[in-house]
Amino acid sequence: MDYVVETNDLTRTFGSFTAVNKLTIKIRPGEIYGFLGPNGSGKSTTIRMLCGILEPTSGSGRVLGYDLASESEQIKSRIGYMSQKFSLYDDLTVQENLSFYAGLYSVPRPERKTRIEEMIEMACLTGREKELVVNLSLGWKQRLALGCAILSKPAIIFLDEPTSGISPTSRKMFFNIIQGLANAGTTIMVTTHFMDEAERCSNIAFISEGHLIANDTPDNLRNNVLEGVLAEVATNNPMDRLPVVEALPYVKECSVHGSLLHVLVQSEENLSELQQHTAGNIKKITPSLEDVFIALSRQRRRGSANE
């Protein structure tokens, strides 16, 4: 199978609102496919369609060779799915949650004990098997929820904002686990708004207001989207400086990053003049994925305004 996920003009509307607009993507086996965008951009709606939970309004798609519209039940039985809400039972123990999902996913009985033990070890919950889930930290709940989702060894796992609300340490540990799964051949599609997580994906799709606005590797996005020279400006009152800098004729993009401004200019020759206008320390930097996404989102909004 060349692709485990393929969509063509996949669209979902709710009344007059279009949540996902003509989405066309392809995901290869073993990829960690990052799906990025702000809240309300259409990420979760897309995931729900790909999982066979929500029927597309128009367009088409296939997951593991099965059609989204006519074979959704076959899709549901062959994938793993984990949402940010962690579908766990607080009044059951770690062991009981895993046993429940082993039955739900029809894990063969001779394999259940071994698979449950493997998931407990993966989630770093050895010794906590009899602890009620309600007493676990968010990081432990997250890893347990992942264990429940992959008990049946699905070929593809959909993770919808799985690291929302947990600590940076737990987020890093979680991504180490899914990197190991991908290395073993599992395909992973993960929605996130954390750019450090996006850096660890093999491919990234940016979605804004239901529209796919970019789809490439992290390196290609950083190197090819922004045309010009990106500078970091340390200046007093960056919010006050922003409109002044944006009005300069050679400035293509400008955004606030904490106490800094990131300014895209036409060429290096513009940097000295930029320093005069900002009275700040300036250094040339390599674009981050956050810079790329901000620029793409603005381009998208400008394009919409001109339509």
Side-chain angles (χ1 to χ4, degrees), residues 5 10 76 80-81 83 139 220:
V5 173
L10 193 66
K76 289 177 191 175
Y81 171 68
S83 75
N220 285 344

Side-chain angles (χ1 to χ4, degrees), residues 40-216:
S41 59
K43 302 189 303 295
S44 293
T45 300
T46 300
I47 291 284
R48 291 170 66 200
M49 285 192 285
L50 295 178
C51 289
I53 299 169
L54 189 64
E55 188 174 343
T57 304
S58 63
S60 62
R62 302 186 77 83
V63 174
L64 300 173
Y66 296 101
D67 184 78
L68 291 183
S70 61
E71 298 174 301
S72 61
E73 292 306 311
Q74 289 93 321
I75 292 172
K76 289 177 191 175
S77 66
R78 288 166 173 81
I79 64 170
Y81 171 68
M82 175 183 165
S83 75
Q84 60 182 309
K85 295 183 175 61
F86 303 159
S87 302
L88 299 170
Y89 292 92
D90 281 348
D91 56 345
L92 297 181
T93 66
V94 168
Q95 180 92 32
E96 288 167 342
N97 267 277
L98 286 165
S99 296
F100 170 77
Y101 278 100
L104 189 66
Y105 288 127
S106 301
V107 176
R109 286 192 176 276
E111 298 177 17
R112 288 187 188 182
K113 184 175 183 293
T114 299
R115 285 298 290 160
I116 288 172
E117 288 174 352
E118 289 172 351
M119 295 304 97
I120 288 171
E121 183 178 350
M122 177 215 70
C124 303
L125 286 165
T126 302
R128 295 180 177 270
E129 294 90 342
K130 298 187 183 302
E131 188 161 342
L132 290 176
V133 164
V134 70
N135 297 328
L136 298 178
S137 71
L138 274 176
W140 279 328
K141 285 182 179 180
Q142 174 217 44
R143 295 194 294 275
L144 176 58
L146 177 64
C148 292
I150 64 174
L151 264 168
S152 62
K153 297 184 179 179
I156 182 169
I157 310 166
F158 294 96
L159 307 173
D160 191 9
E161 299 279 1
T163 59
S164 180
I166 66 172
S167 70
T169 301
S170 291
R171 290 202 292 114
K172 184 176 181 180
M173 185 181 295
F174 182 83
F175 252 77
N176 288 341
I177 292 170
I178 68 169
Q179 183 70 63
L181 292 170
N183 292 343
T186 303
T187 306
I188 295 156
M189 183 176 187
V190 55
T191 72
T192 182
H193 55 267
F194 293 112
M195 295 300 161
D196 60 326
E197 294 180 354
E199 294 281 357
R200 301 183 64 177
C201 296
S202 46
N203 206 89
I204 296 172
F206 281 122
I207 187 170
S208 178
E209 298 177 336
H211 292 266
L212 183 68
I213 58 175
N215 187 4
D216 213 329

